[in-house]
Amino acid sequence: MYNDTASHSALLGAIVGAGGYDAHLESAAQHVSHEAAERAARHDVQMAQVELYCDHRAQALVAIRHAMQLLESCDDKALEPQLAKLSEAAWHVRHNESLVAVDLLDEAKVQLHS
């Protein structure tokens, strides 16, 4: 019934406001936010790959940096391997090694799905 993040947040906020504080609901809200950040990061990674295929390195770097910011905002140690892949991919983009970067982005995308 509620598929988007805004609806989830509004619903959880209403429940917490009406029923008082519940640590379980707070945890659920953080989980939804974490999932939304990962979903947005996956989208940015895909966009970076498309930009690299089109030889738009500057735009690819913007997408990679945004994906990294999203993942860093989750403050989750489990996302460190993905952040490392994205950082390495950005390095390769800056050094005109787009094919290596695309492969690294693909690996990061797979890790984000797990």
Side-chain angles (χ1 to χ4, degrees):
M1 177 162 124
Y2 292 94
N3 287 331
D4 64 342
T5 303
S7 295
H8 281 285
S9 296
L11 176 63
L12 289 172
I15 291 170
V16 168
Y21 178 78
D22 187 348
H24 178 70
L25 291 177
E26 183 178 279
S27 172
Q30 290 173 347
H31 185 66
V32 170
S33 165
H34 186 92
E35 285 180 1
E38 284 192 55
R39 197 169 35 252
R42 275 193 302 273
H43 179 263
D44 284 341
V45 169
Q46 288 174 319
M47 293 309 300
Q49 287 179 306
V50 170
E51 295 295 355
L52 287 173
Y53 288 134
C54 296
D55 201 29
H56 300 154
R57 291 193 327 261
Q59 292 89 338
L61 282 171
V62 168
I64 293 169
R65 286 184 185 127
H66 188 253
M68 291 178 71
Q69 289 171 346
L70 287 166
L71 296 177
E72 287 169 345
S73 72
C74 292
D75 196 28
D76 184 353
K77 296 271 186 203
L79 294 173
E80 287 180 2
Q82 293 88 332
L83 285 165
K85 290 279 183 206
L86 293 176
S87 179
E88 187 177 354
W91 186 90
H92 285 286
V93 170
R94 288 190 301 274
H95 290 87
N96 279 339
E97 298 172 356
S98 294
L99 293 177
V100 175
V102 168
D103 288 341
L104 288 165
L105 292 172
D106 217 22
E107 290 175 27
K109 223 170 32 177
V110 168
Q111 288 176 343
L112 283 170
H113 282 295
S114 343

